[in-house]
Amino acid sequence: MAPSTTSDAPFGRMLTAMVTPFLPDGGVDYDGAARLATHLVDRQRHDGLVVNGTTGESPTTSDAEKERLVRAVVEAVGDRATVVAGAGTNDTEHSRHLARQAEAAGADALLVVTPYYNKPPQAGLLAHFRAVADASGLPVMLYDIPGRSGVPIETDTLIRLADHPRVVAVKDAKGDLFAGSTVMANTDLVFYSGDDALNLAWLSQGAAGFVSVVGHVVGADLHEMIDAYRAGDHGRALEIHRRLLPVVTAIMTRTQGAIAVKAALKLLGLPGGGALRPPLAEADSEFAARLAEDLTIGGVQVPEVIS
C-alpha cells in the first residue's frame, strides 16, 4: 500500500532513520539493508525510510556506498514507501553533490542537516540550505539538531527558508515546541518529530508524524499512536506513548542511538543488528540484557534465547 503523501504529510507520517547494516568484514550489507527496509515497510507499517542519516552512520560511509544504499532500499520498497536520503554535511558543495547523487539513485526526497562543527551564522545557514535545495529537483526536509550540529536553525531563518519551493519540511530534534509552533503558524513547513521522547508532544503541536529511531522495533505501535491521535482518540495515543516509555528510555537515553538500536535488532534477529563502524562500538552483554528487559516491558516480543 502506497504511503500517504498529502500536502500536510509530504513524506508520509511514520518514518524511521534506518541503520546501515554492515558485514563482518566492515563492508555495507546491501542485501541486509533491503531486507530490513522491507521488514520496516511491510511489518512495521512505515510510510517512509530515511537512509544515510546519522543513525545510518553516514559519517563513516563513502559517497559510493551512500549511492548504492539508496538504490538498494528504493529497489526493495518500490512505491510502498518514500525514501528520504541524507545529503547534509558541513561542506555546502559536498552536500550539493550528495543531493544530485541521491536524486540520480532514485530517492524521493532529501534530509539536509545543519552543517556541524564549523558553526556557521544564520546567514550561512540560509545560503547553505538554499544552495543544497537548488542542487536537485527533490523536496527537502531540514534537520534541526543543535545538540549535534552546535547551531540551531532559528525561527526567523526557518520562516525565510519556507519561501524556497523545495524546502517543505523540518525534522525537529531541537525540542523547542513553542518555536516549532511559531514556524508552523507562519509558514507551510511540515514538522516531523525527530526526538522519540517528544513524539506525542509534537503531534499535539500539529506535527505530521515522526522520523523515529525506536521505530525500528515499534514502528507499528507508533503508527497506531499517530492514527489514534488524528482520529481524536487522545486517550489511546497517550496509552501507547506511556507503554513505549521503557523502549524509548532503553534505546534513546543510555548510549548512542545507532549502538542501542543495532543491539535491539540483534536481540530480535533482524538485519542490521550488531556490527558498527569505528569509532562506534557494539553494545556489551550487560547493556543487551537490560535492553531485552525494557523491550519486553514495552510490549516487544524478544526471543528467550539471547546469543
Side-chain angles (χ1 to χ4, degrees), residues 249-250 254 267 285-297:
T249 299
R254 295 195 180 123
L267 288 173
S285 59
E286 181 180 351
F287 179 91
R290 188 177 183 188
L291 175 63
E293 293 177 0
D294 287 327
L295 293 177
T296 301
I297 293 169

Side-chain angles (χ1 to χ4, degrees), residues 70-121:
V70 171
R71 292 185 185 278
V73 173
V74 168
E75 182 177 354
V77 303
D79 62 359
R80 305 194 311 283
T82 56
V83 176
V84 183
T89 72
N90 62 348
D91 175 352
T92 301
E93 193 53 44
H94 188 201
S95 299
R96 284 168 56 83
H97 165 73
L98 291 176
R100 292 188 291 264
Q101 174 179 279
E103 183 176 36
D108 299 300
L110 302 173
L111 179 73
V112 183
V113 70
T114 311
Y116 39 85
Y117 189 76
N118 38 20
K119 300 181 75 171

Side-chain angles (χ1 to χ4, degrees), residues 22 25-26 57 59-61 262 275-282:
F22 293 116
D25 66 1
E57 298 175 70
T60 60
T61 56
K262 281 194 165 184
L276 299 101
R277 278 187 175 171
L280 299 185
E282 189 170 344

Side-chain angles (χ1 to χ4, degrees), residues 1 3-4 9 12-14 44-47 199-200 203 207-210 219-238 240-241:
M1 182 176 179
S4 171
R13 299 193 182 279
M14 178 59 221
Q44 288 288 348
R45 295 191 63 200
H46 281 62
D47 298 318
N199 283 342
L200 182 57
L203 288 181
F210 314 145
D221 300 270
L222 292 175
H223 207 305
E224 184 182 354
M225 181 199 295
I226 296 168
D227 290 345
Y229 191 90
R230 288 177 53 78
D233 192 349
H234 298 166
R236 176 59 179 157
L238 179 59
I240 296 168
H241 164 75

Side-chain angles (χ1 to χ4, degrees), residues 240-290:
I240 296 168
H241 164 75
R242 288 178 173 170
R243 175 168 56 80
L244 297 181
L245 287 175
V247 180
V248 176
T249 299
I251 292 178
M252 301 308 299
T253 70
R254 295 195 180 123
T255 187
Q256 200 268 1
I259 295 174
V261 79
K262 281 194 165 184
L265 291 171
K266 184 176 181 179
L267 288 173
L268 299 175
L270 292 170
L276 299 101
R277 278 187 175 171
L280 299 185
E282 189 170 344
D284 60 24
S285 59
E286 181 180 351
F287 179 91
R290 188 177 183 188

